């Protein structure tokens, strides 16, 4: 069963090198480990590249999801693994990774949900927005990795279907979670996801992020560059 710990630690797992490895092998492996970044929100926003967006050629099918997830042997796809990771009360898991019971809290609106089918798994930075911001140049394999990213807990979020569909493909210049208390967390996670995947922001998005960063001065952004 996928847990919050497993999902949150996925980005760091390559750093654990067996003591028995010869020194040259261990050194070579260490060079492949992304270096984690921790920045105040305002500094993190300042690191984002500002560029025009272009949706030419985008289709949702350009991002394969949901795949077999972190653990192909568990029989659960990425969607269900995220649901298991984010449940505040774990659901029962039947054959074929069919979930029943369980409780979740959608942080976008603070709503408690007791049926997995009433939740959407939101891509923090929507697929279309990612395409506009740099993913159009990626390989299909990298777009699949993005669409199923559990290496950072913020990348995929279980939320009420209505908030996810209200958000659609909008960035923070035009959409924010309906719960005001969620705004600072959301801006921090949006910024972390853009930095993790080296995605740009357009001018209106950059301006909105700066305004929120000034208001959310206690937020610290944690991210690992995507492999």
């Amino acid at each position: 069963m996928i847990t919050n710990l497993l999902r949150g630690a996925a980005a760091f797992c390559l750093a654990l090198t067996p003591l028995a490895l010869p020194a040259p092998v261990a050194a070579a492996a260490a060079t492949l480990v992304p270096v984690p970044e921790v920045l105040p929100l305002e500094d993190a926003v300042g690191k984002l590249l500002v560029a025009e967006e272009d949706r030419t050629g985008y289709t949702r099918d350009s991002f394969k999801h949901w795949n077999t997830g972190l653990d192909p042997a568990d029989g659960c796809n990425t969607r269900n693994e995220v649901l298991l990771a984010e449940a505040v009360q774990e659901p029962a898991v039947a054959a074929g990774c069919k979930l029943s019971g369980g409780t979740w809290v959608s942080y976008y609106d603070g709503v408690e949900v007791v049926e997995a089918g009433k939740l959407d798994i939101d891509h923090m930075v929507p697929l279309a927005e990612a395409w506009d911001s740099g993913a159009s140049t990626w390989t299909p394999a990298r777009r699949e990795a993005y669409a199923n990213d559990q290496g950072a807990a913020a990348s995929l979020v279980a939320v009420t279907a209505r908030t996810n569909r209200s958000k659609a493909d909008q960035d923070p210049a035009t959409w924010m979670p309906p719960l005001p208390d969620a705004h600072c967390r959301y801006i921090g996670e949006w910024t972390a996801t853009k930095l993790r995947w080296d995605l740009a922001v357009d001018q209106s998005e950059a301006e909105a992020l700066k305004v929120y960063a000034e208001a959310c001065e206690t937020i610290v952004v944690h991210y690992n560059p995507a492999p």
Side-chain angles (χ1 to χ4, degrees):
M1 180 175 293
I2 300 301
T3 64
N4 278 311
L5 178 61
L6 175 59
R7 182 166 169 242
F12 294 90
C13 62
L14 292 177
L16 302 177
T17 305
L19 295 177
L21 281 178
V25 177
T31 63
L32 301 176
V33 180
V35 178
E37 297 278 355
V38 181
L39 296 168
L41 177 57
E42 189 169 6
D43 292 349
V45 169
K47 288 192 68 171
L48 293 165
L49 172 69
V50 179
E52 292 186 7
E53 295 183 351
D54 183 1
R55 193 160 297 185
T56 303
Y58 169 74
T59 67
R60 190 170 175 83
D61 291 341
S62 298
F63 295 80
K64 181 182 176 181
H65 65 290
W66 305 109
N67 65 19
T68 55
L70 282 178
D71 182 8
D74 68 4
C76 299
N77 63 12
T78 299
R79 170 186 162 82
N80 280 357
E81 287 186 351
V82 173
L83 289 171
L84 289 167
E86 297 199 353
V88 295
Q89 180 179 332
E90 291 188 357
V93 184
C97 200
K98 184 176 181 180
L99 307 183
S100 60
T103 303
W104 294 263
V105 176
S106 165
Y107 95 78
Y108 287 2
D109 50 7
V111 172
E112 183 176 286
V113 180
V114 294
E115 294 180 43
K118 292 185 177 180
L119 290 159
D120 279 359
I121 305 303
D122 181 38
H123 292 90
M124 173 57 60
V125 174
L127 302 180
E129 170 70 19
W131 178 274
D132 298 350
S133 307
S136 62
T137 66
W138 295 351
T139 64
R142 187 161 181 81
R143 287 196 288 268
E144 179 179 352
Y146 177 84
N148 297 275
D149 182 21
Q150 293 186 73
S155 296
L156 300 171
V157 190
V159 296
T160 53
R162 67 171 174 267
T163 55
N164 183 45
R165 293 165 198 185
S166 169
K167 172 181 173 178
D169 59 4
Q170 299 178 82
D171 68 37
T174 55
W175 187 91
M176 287 291 286
L179 185 66
D181 287 349
H183 288 184
C184 288
R185 174 181 171 183
Y186 183 79
I187 290 296
E189 294 185 348
W190 179 279
T191 302
T193 303
K194 285 247 166 167
L195 288 171
R196 171 169 167 75
W197 288 92
D198 195 24
L199 295 170
V201 294
D202 64 20
Q203 190 62 49
S204 62
E205 181 185 351
E207 291 171 1
L209 292 174
K210 288 177 183 177
V211 170
Y212 281 107
E214 290 176 3
C216 302
E217 58 185 4
T218 63
I219 295 295
V220 176
V221 172
H222 300 253
Y223 74 95
N224 257 23

